[in-house]
Amino acid sequence: MPTFRQLSYLVAIAETNHMGRAAEKLGVTQPTLSAQIAELERKLGVTLAERGRAGVMLTDIGRDTANRARDILASVEALKDHAAGARTGIAGTLRLGVLPTIGPYLLPHILPALHARYPQLRLYVREDFPGPLEAGLHDGRFDMLLVSLPVDMGGLETAPLFREELQLALPHDHAAAQADRVPRTRLRGEDVLALETGHRYHTQVRDLCTDLGAHLLPDYEGTSLDTLRQMTAMGAGLTFLPALYVHSEIGPRDKRRRAEVTTRSLTPRPPSRTVGMAWRRQAPSRQGYGELAELIRDRMKALKLEGITVTS
């Protein structure tokens, strides 16, 4: 069989159209290069190069073989990169499961930094409810999850990334919107909208309503955070929106005059959730996932977004 070295010699000749320059580029003597090309021709049973006083010229089959050799060598380099990346845990395709209340609002902030650090990494991203995501992580359909913690499943390693405030969203003409911060006692008896059952965020808002004495509206469950925002704007009730969503879809506080709703922090003890990563404890890439968690923390620290507190 041809060797990778022989294929690289043929590619060098195709790129330089000169035996001497190819040998110099490769750091070998011209006789060595010529002998290896002759050996390659013997193994393949074809003439790859015509040698004459004007130098060397590849035959038609020689040019075609050089093109195929480039593809082979590129695949070998990709294989080496994959293996090198596997040693650090970040390589090939990363199958990432995300909650719909987190992924669309977090990924745009971290993907550029992720691509810059790991340019060969390919991401496969899927949004779903917590149950299917955790089942997919358990049976190997996902390598890692971006979820709210804690995760109620054994055999996992988790890494908290940041704490995200859950901000009260209300119509502009609501009486509580006039205050810079809304006292927790002000929510007693208020109607609150939540996502449909099955979302972890539904459970978080339900428990928050119990704590505040607010009334969770079971017949007006939203299918997305956008739906909750729109229903709130129409006066169907108040709701809670995660800080990343507020930053992405409503904007900074000083630019919210045209937004459909306004948002306020509760006082004291603004409610929050912890966003983090989860992966199988015995995953071969677990070291790399820890490094990825640190990259996300650094990125979120640099952004200095309101309502986001990065985990130390």
Side-chain angles (χ1 to χ4, degrees), residues 126-147:
R126 180 181 176 87
E127 294 181 14
D128 213 329
F129 287 86
L133 289 181
E134 293 171 11
L137 182 62
H138 182 268
D139 64 25
R141 285 181 285 119
F142 294 113
D143 300 309
M144 190 181 73
L145 303 181
L146 276 175
V147 292

Side-chain angles (χ1 to χ4, degrees), residues 34-216:
S34 181
Q36 286 298 315
I37 294 300
E39 179 65 13
L40 179 59
E41 290 177 320
R42 186 190 68 78
K43 289 179 177 179
L44 296 178
V46 294
T47 300
L48 301 172
E50 296 179 4
R51 301 161 182 82
R53 293 182 179 179
V56 63
M57 180 175 66
L58 293 184
T59 63
D60 289 342
I61 186 63
R63 287 189 293 272
D64 182 64
T65 303
N67 289 334
R68 293 172 182 267
R70 285 192 187 93
D71 294 339
I72 293 171
L73 294 172
S75 296
V76 172
E77 287 301 314
L79 180 63
K80 290 166 59 180
D81 290 343
H82 177 81
R87 290 195 295 271
T88 63
I90 304 296
T93 300
L94 177 64
R95 298 166 298 172
L96 177 64
V98 298
L99 292 179
T101 61
I102 295 176
Y105 317 109
L106 174 60
L107 291 179
H109 293 300
I110 64 175
L111 287 183
L114 183 63
H115 179 69
R117 176 77 66 86
Y118 308 105
Q120 302 301 319
L121 178 66
R122 296 180 301 278
L123 271 182
Y124 164 82
V125 181
R126 180 181 176 87
E127 294 181 14
D128 213 329
F129 287 86
L133 289 181
E134 293 171 11
L137 182 62
H138 182 268
D139 64 25
R141 285 181 285 119
F142 294 113
D143 300 309
M144 190 181 73
L145 303 181
L146 276 175
V147 292
S148 58
L149 301 180
V151 177
D152 187 21
M153 190 175 95
L156 297 185
E157 187 83 18
T158 59
L161 301 173
F162 55 86
R163 191 170 68 253
E164 179 181 28
E165 183 182 340
L166 308 183
Q167 299 181 356
L168 177 67
L170 60 171
H172 292 286
D173 58 358
H174 193 284
Q178 309 310 311
D180 186 57
R181 291 176 175 270
V182 177
R184 295 173 71 96
T185 54
R186 179 65 179 76
L187 273 293
R188 184 171 297 278
E190 289 279 2
D191 291 335
V192 174
L193 301 161
L195 291 178
E196 60 188 329
T197 305
H199 287 277
R200 181 163 291 150
Y201 196 66
H202 170 91
T203 304
Q204 292 167 327
V205 172
R206 181 200 64 195
D207 293 346
L208 179 58
C209 286
T210 300
D211 183 52
L212 296 172
H215 178 224
L216 186 68

Side-chain angles (χ1 to χ4, degrees), residues 12-25:
I13 294 174
E15 292 174 346
T16 61
N17 288 315
H18 193 278
M19 190 73 75
R21 286 194 292 270
E24 183 178 353
K25 178 180 180 180

